[in-house]
């Protein structure tokens, strides 16, 4: 997998970033996250991003019931690669993950949306395409995924996903599966794609087993 010609260079990554706090929404480097944006402050944020580099970040709130909620310390910068307007005033956006970053000081609100200082240093490797193979135990992953899907009544195009390259497969499943927000955050913070693949398989197994026992993962 080669880097997109449109991908920003490390030196060009913004040091002040608008953030979209959304519980359970995971964006990973190289992944694609569809968003349905309708709140006025996030419409403003998106229009501002479209006029200046097309970038904002996805971040998870630690306590969605609190306003404003404390934020997790690691987020992922995204770049708008597609957008469309709807007749009822929404924006349909696809965000491509660029790089994770450490969240620094929170800046004053701007047009109602939140902004933070970003430190990309620990995640400079996110701009390098991952290896084609991650040492993934594909049979083990699919066994865990099928059990998880059965317990949570999820459907997948099994033939299609069996042909997906390992990095894209891990990203897509990590982003799509309905894990708990803390589990999504753990997937985001995994140091390497290989470690994320291992964690993903473990979470699928735990999710299938806990659902079978009538519990939930913690």
């Amino acid at each position: 997998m080669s880097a997109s010609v449109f991908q920003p260079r490390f030196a060009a990554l913004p040091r002040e970033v608008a953030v979209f706090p959304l519980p359970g929404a995971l964006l990973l480097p190289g992944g694609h996250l569809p968003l349905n944006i309708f709140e006025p402050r996030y419409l403003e944020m998106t229009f501002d991003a479209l006029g200046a580099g097309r970038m904002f970040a996805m971040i998870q709130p630690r306590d969605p019931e609190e306003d404003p909620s404390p934020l997790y310390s690691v987020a992922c910068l995204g770049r708008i690669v597609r957008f469309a307007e709807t007749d009822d005033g929404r924006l349909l956006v696809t965000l491509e993950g660029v790089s994770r970053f450490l969240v620094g000081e929170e800046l004053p609100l701007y047009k109602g949306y939140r902004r933070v200082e970003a430190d990309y240093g620990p995640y400079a490797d996110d701009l390098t395409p991952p290896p084609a193979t991650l040492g993934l135990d594909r049979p083990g992953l699919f066994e865990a995924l099928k059990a998880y899907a059965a317990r949570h009544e999820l459907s997948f195009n099994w033939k299609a996903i069996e042909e997906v390259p390992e990095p894209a497969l891990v990203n897509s499943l990590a982003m799509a599966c309905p894990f708990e927000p803390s589990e999504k955050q753990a997937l985001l913070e995994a140091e390497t794609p290989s470690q994320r693949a291992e964690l993903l398989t473990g979470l699928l197994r735990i999710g299938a087993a806990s659902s079978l026992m009538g519990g939930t993962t913690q």
Side-chain angles (χ1 to χ4, degrees), residues 34-50:
L35 295 169
N36 175 21
I37 298 176
F38 54 88
E39 284 191 51
R41 56 181 168 172
Y42 296 124
L43 289 170
E44 290 280 5
M45 178 192 71
T46 305
F47 285 129
D48 286 345
L50 287 168

Side-chain angles (χ1 to χ4, degrees), residues 90-105:
R90 294 174 292 121
L91 288 176
L92 304 180
V93 168
T94 299
L95 206 59
E96 180 179 75
V98 175
S99 176
R100 295 169 293 172
F101 61 86
L102 290 178
V103 176
E105 180 180 353

Side-chain angles (χ1 to χ4, degrees), residues 30-215:
H32 290 84
L33 179 67
L35 295 169
N36 175 21
I37 298 176
F38 54 88
E39 284 191 51
R41 56 181 168 172
Y42 296 124
L43 289 170
E44 290 280 5
M45 178 192 71
T46 305
F47 285 129
D48 286 345
L50 287 168
R54 295 188 287 135
M55 289 184 280
F56 62 86
M58 298 302 299
I59 193 167
Q60 293 208 102
R62 289 185 178 273
D63 183 1
E65 301 301 319
E66 189 175 340
D67 188 20
S69 170
L71 302 173
Y72 276 97
S73 60
V74 178
C76 187
L77 181 70
R79 184 172 62 88
I80 298 170
V81 293
R82 299 183 194 87
F83 85 98
E85 301 173 353
T86 68
D87 291 339
D88 59 358
R90 294 174 292 121
L91 288 176
L92 304 180
V93 168
T94 299
L95 206 59
E96 180 179 75
V98 175
S99 176
R100 295 169 293 172
F101 61 86
L102 290 178
V103 176
E105 180 180 353
E106 182 159 0
L107 303 170
L109 288 177
Y110 182 71
K111 298 183 181 179
Y113 61 82
R114 300 172 73 174
R115 301 174 300 147
V116 300
E117 294 182 347
D119 176 9
Y120 303 94
Y123 301 107
D125 288 345
D126 283 356
L127 294 179
T128 302
T133 59
L134 306 176
L136 178 66
D137 175 11
R138 288 184 80 109
L141 174 67
F142 281 114
E143 179 184 6
L145 179 61
K146 287 177 180 179
Y148 183 89
R151 300 305 175 198
H152 293 268
E153 299 183 345
L154 303 175
S155 61
F156 292 95
N157 184 335
W158 298 105
K159 183 177 180 180
I161 65 175
E162 285 175 359
E163 300 174 358
V164 176
E166 289 183 8
L169 175 64
V170 170
N171 274 2
S172 297
L173 292 177
M175 292 170 60
C177 288
F179 297 126
E180 293 294 320
S182 60
E183 295 169 335
K184 294 266 191 177
Q185 189 67 24
L187 288 163
L188 175 66
E189 296 185 20
E191 288 190 19
T192 66
S194 295
Q195 291 178 3
R196 183 174 298 121
E198 184 177 350
L199 176 59
L200 172 65
T201 302
L203 289 175
L204 290 170
R205 288 173 176 156
I206 292 170
S210 62
S211 182
L212 178 63
M213 294 183 293

